[in-house]
Amino acid sequence: MAAMALVVLDAGLVNVALPVMAASLRVTPAQAILTVSAYQTALVIGLLPSAHVAEKFGYKRMFLAGVNLFSAASILCGFAPTLGVLVAARMLQGLGGAAIMALGIALLRVALGNEQIGRAIGWNALNVAMCSAAGPIVGALILSIAPWPWLFFTKLPLIVVALTTSVALPEVASSRSRIDHAGITLHASIAGLFLAAAGIAQSGWAALAASLAVGLAVLLIRRERAREAPIWPIDLLGQRAFRVSVMASVCCFIAQSAGMLAFPLYLQLALGYGPFGASIVMICWPLTVATTSSVANCLAEQLGSARLCIAGGSLLGLGLLFSALWPVGQSIIPLAIGAALSGLGFGLFQVPNNRTMFLSAPPDRSAAAGGMQGTARLIGQTTGALAIGLLLTGASAAAAPRLGLALGAIFGVIAALVSAMGIAEHHERPAQPRG
């Protein structure tokens, strides 16, 4: 939990500091955004390979390597004298964070068993939500009294906790005889090309990069199809319950990303509120997620995961649509209600959906399930961010955020509809190990 808090807090701390970092390093704000994109790129590239390598060397060893790499890279970020060094350190952070994200829930499953994994996922969701809410606030407080490198140095106590306590994690026997280096290279190339295409979506080169990525993806799928435990978890995606959960997760995170980006833009660009007013509205989202996550597992056990996911996706879509359509005057209370309703739906959706995803996978493929869960999240968030960027380019500053909220509402409802596909499946039954 401490390691996961490190990864989540880092994003909030850095995002709020981009203007300050740009001025200090004497670069433009657009160049400073490279510190964010480099981190996200490394996460996407590292998630599934981290799970793959962990099946060879052990979950605990790979998790500890991720915590150590993330910690060392955080300190390097604080001492970075130039943007180039900072971007390189952020990429190392992303690779370390990928191992943490891919293996955290898998290790919890080993430590606690299938009976308590739902409760553990709820606590993890609470942890993530609270850190998401605290990140921008803590970052702003640090910047008010210290220069930006202290954003990384102040995490040292949490780093010590993560490193000290991680040694008590359970050992997991190896289930893989060798590492597929060619497969990892193909995966990294595909992820890099897709992210490059997203970054240059308005350029003519985007189609070429996307086409190359699709071609390599077809090659990797054909190559991995015959393997028992492929880097891309094709074996797990062949199971309906797992596949439905992944599809629903992607749609839900598109809605979440679009909403979280559109809300502050709407408040500041269209309605004229300052950063403080926007932060009052936005904090309602993660706080509601945190409140909901603590009870979502109990509700899932009583009502069924699929039904709770349907309710959560529907509430997420309703909250975003309410915010897009409400005729706001001088008060931001209606938008705060919309953000809280969106957070309520997101919290109700994520815990049961992740619970289904992990319980659908055999225990010896828990790392692959964790890697796929993180990949689905990043695919959704990247797609949502790209959609908001395109809307800002093609529509006015006043209209684009409301269109973004409406788009998020559509994908929230789609997530609910996809989850409905799993009602007939007994997907909450724990899968058995192969062989």
Side-chain angles (χ1 to χ4, degrees):
M1 299 294 265
M4 191 67 73
L6 278 173
V7 177
V8 178
L9 274 172
D10 190 82
L13 293 176
V14 173
N15 289 350
V16 76
L18 287 178
V20 176
M21 294 165 69
S24 174
L25 297 172
R26 298 180 180 178
V27 298
T28 66
Q31 291 174 315
I33 291 177
L34 287 172
T35 61
V36 175
S37 58
Y39 180 76
Q40 294 286 351
T41 299
L43 274 177
V44 174
I45 290 175
L47 275 166
L48 291 175
S50 293
H52 176 81
V53 174
E55 292 179 350
K56 163 67 175 176
F57 294 107
Y59 293 6
K60 178 179 178 178
R61 183 180 299 180
M62 191 66 187
F63 185 86
L64 283 170
V67 176
N68 278 282
L69 178 59
F70 187 93
S71 303
S74 295
I75 296 173
L76 179 59
C77 285
F79 287 108
T82 64
L83 178 65
V85 175
L86 181 59
V87 168
R90 290 284 286 165
M91 290 197 73
L92 292 176
Q93 268 193 311
L95 292 175
I100 293 170
M101 290 175 61
L103 300 169
I105 301 297
L107 281 164
L108 284 174
R109 183 180 185 184
V110 174
L112 302 176
N114 288 331
E115 295 76 15
Q116 297 191 66
I117 186 61
R119 186 180 302 174
I121 290 174
W123 278 104
N124 184 68
L126 174 63
N127 180 32
V128 169
M130 293 302 293
C131 290
S132 297
I137 298 173
V138 173
L141 289 174
I142 293 172
L143 291 175
S144 67
I145 59 175
W148 67 264
W150 282 94
L151 294 172
F152 300 99
F153 296 147
T154 51
K155 293 186 297 183
L156 285 174
L158 194 56
I159 287 174
V160 171
V161 172
L163 290 173
T164 303
T165 56
S166 292
V167 297
L169 289 167
E171 299 284 353
V172 181
S174 172
S175 60
R176 186 183 296 277
S177 59
R178 65 185 184 87
I179 297 174
D180 184 4
H181 297 284
I184 291 176
T185 303
L186 277 172
H187 164 78
S189 301
I190 294 165
L193 284 168
F194 269 126
L195 288 170
I200 56 173
Q202 297 177 325
S203 168
W205 293 101
L208 177 60
S211 299
L212 287 173
V214 170
L216 290 177
V218 171
L219 176 62
L220 180 59
I221 290 172
R222 289 180 176 177
R223 184 178 182 276
E224 298 287 291
R225 186 174 293 167
R227 297 175 181 269
E228 185 180 4
I231 293 177
W232 283 10
I234 302 170
D235 54 330
L236 299 180
L237 291 169
Q239 302 177 28
R240 179 181 173 85
F242 188 88
R243 183 172 63 251
V244 167
S245 296
V246 170
M247 292 166 55
S249 183
V250 171
C251 293
C252 185
F253 275 108
I254 292 176
Q256 181 253 12
S257 177
M260 292 291 281
L261 288 172
F263 259 119
L265 291 173
Y266 182 36
L267 286 160
Q268 295 182 65
L269 298 181
L271 303 179
Y273 289 98
F276 180 74
S279 65
I280 291 177
V281 172
M282 290 310 302
I283 201 172
C284 295
W285 185 312
L287 287 179
T288 313
V289 174
T291 304
T292 308
S293 298
S294 60
V295 299
N297 180 62
C298 295
L299 292 174
E301 291 177 347
Q302 295 175 6
L303 303 176
S305 291
R307 289 182 175 83
L308 198 60
C309 288
I310 293 170
S314 300
L315 285 173
L316 172 59
L318 179 62
L320 293 174
L321 185 62
F322 173 84
S323 301
L325 298 179
W326 188 265
V328 179
Q330 298 300 314
S331 174
I332 59 174
I333 293 177
L335 286 181
I337 293 173
L341 188 60
S342 301
L344 173 64
F346 186 75
L348 288 176
F349 180 92
Q350 279 304 300
V351 172
N353 191 69
N354 288 344
R355 180 175 183 264
T356 296
M357 198 181 301
F358 277 93
L359 291 183
S360 299
D364 60 336
R365 291 288 280 159
S366 293
M372 194 65 229
Q373 188 272 332
T375 301
R377 179 179 69 85
L378 289 171
I379 289 173
Q381 289 178 334
T382 302
T383 304
L386 176 61
I388 295 299
L390 292 175
L391 286 173
L392 286 170
T393 302
S396 67
R402 297 188 77 172
L403 291 173
L405 290 170
L407 180 67
I410 292 172
F411 274 97
V413 173
I414 292 175
L417 293 174
V418 172
S419 297
M421 296 166 56
I423 283 186
E425 296 292 316
H426 299 290
H427 52 263
E428 295 192 30
R429 180 177 57 195
Q432 299 299 318
R434 293 189 307 272

